[in-house]
Amino acid sequence: MKNRINLRKLASLLAVLFLIFNVVSCQRDGDSAEDDLPQEELTKITLNVKNLTTLESIPYNYIIGSAAPVIKLEDGKSYEVTTTFWNGSEEVTKEIRDAKDEHFLIFDFPRSTINLTREDGPESTGKLGKVGLKTKWDVVKTVNSSSPLLQLTLIHEPASANEAQNGTAWGSVSGGETDAEATFGLSN
């Protein structure tokens, strides 16, 4: 009889621990099944920078957690820039396009003067606006002060997003979570 009570207590305790473990291990707001692109899956962000005068394209790869690659830009020139996301050797940009209502990119150039235009087509334009997977950069001045850079942030499920320039950043959001961040150096 005493063993039967202890087994019930043990079974109840295990059930409670199992429930607690499941609740604690969930991502973000507890809806890991809805998170189409968990930040743990992103390992690399590539910016393909195409000079619109020479038509030369150069890919710049930022490996999550590594040093910042340096993008060479010329003052007075325009560039078409496409952004791709990777999980190891697998490109996962399609998942962002498929969830275009839940993603938004912010481009911040704190030590440069670069005008950015989002050129996404319908495949990457959602209820928040254009995600920013394809952009045009009109470079006014690459180096305004020492160590110019681009801080690129992919936001997941912002409550609202605005494509306009906000200080040195192109784009702003309210709410949401950061899916990925990358820093690229800039030079002439």
Side-chain angles (χ1 to χ4, degrees):
M1 185 77 143
K2 194 173 188 179
N3 284 342
R4 198 177 243 180
I5 293 171
N6 286 339
L7 286 176
R8 283 186 191 163
K9 284 182 182 180
L10 181 60
S12 296
L13 179 63
L14 289 174
V16 169
L17 288 174
F18 179 76
L19 183 62
I20 289 171
F21 176 78
N22 281 333
V23 169
V24 170
S25 66
C26 287
Q27 292 180 345
R28 296 198 178 139
D29 63 358
D31 260 337
S32 62
E34 288 183 21
D35 190 0
D36 54 345
L37 193 67
Q39 62 263 43
E40 294 84 15
E41 292 183 7
L42 294 174
T43 58
K44 179 173 74 172
I45 299 171
T46 300
L47 295 183
N48 190 46
V49 180
K50 178 180 178 182
N51 182 317
L52 292 177
T53 303
T54 66
L55 302 181
E56 177 185 14
S57 288
I58 301 174
Y60 295 92
N61 295 308
Y62 175 80
I63 308 296
I64 304 296
S66 297
V70 178
I71 300 171
K72 186 173 179 173
L73 301 172
E74 293 181 56
D75 295 349
K77 301 287 183 182
S78 295
Y79 299 84
E80 179 183 88
V81 180
T82 55
T83 306
T84 53
F85 294 88
W86 301 84
N87 176 6
S89 61
E90 178 186 358
E91 184 180 343
V92 294
T93 311
K94 182 182 180 318
E95 283 84 346
I96 295 170
R97 278 192 198 98
D98 290 347
K100 61 189 174 194
D101 292 335
E102 300 170 8
H103 290 96
F104 190 78
L105 280 165
I106 298 173
F107 296 81
D108 190 3
F109 301 98
R111 299 180 192 121
S112 300
T113 305
I114 297 175
N115 296 318
L116 182 134
T117 306
R118 292 170 191 265
E119 296 191 331
D120 298 77
E123 71 284 351
S124 57
T125 301
K127 67 180 182 181
L128 296 167
K130 296 177 179 181
V131 173
L133 296 174
K134 183 177 179 184
T135 55
K136 179 182 175 195
W137 299 1
D138 294 311
V139 179
V140 177
K141 187 150 180 68
T142 305
V143 181
N144 279 343
S145 65
S146 65
S147 303
L149 56 96
L150 160 64
Q151 294 171 320
L152 180 67
T153 308
L154 176 64
I155 304 294
H156 181 259
E157 291 189 333
S160 65
N162 187 328
E163 297 176 15
Q165 186 175 12
N166 181 16
T168 60
W170 289 91
S172 59
V173 297
S174 62
E177 299 281 338
T178 299
D179 261 346
E181 292 180 300
T183 301
F184 293 85
L186 302 175
S187 74
N188 287 115

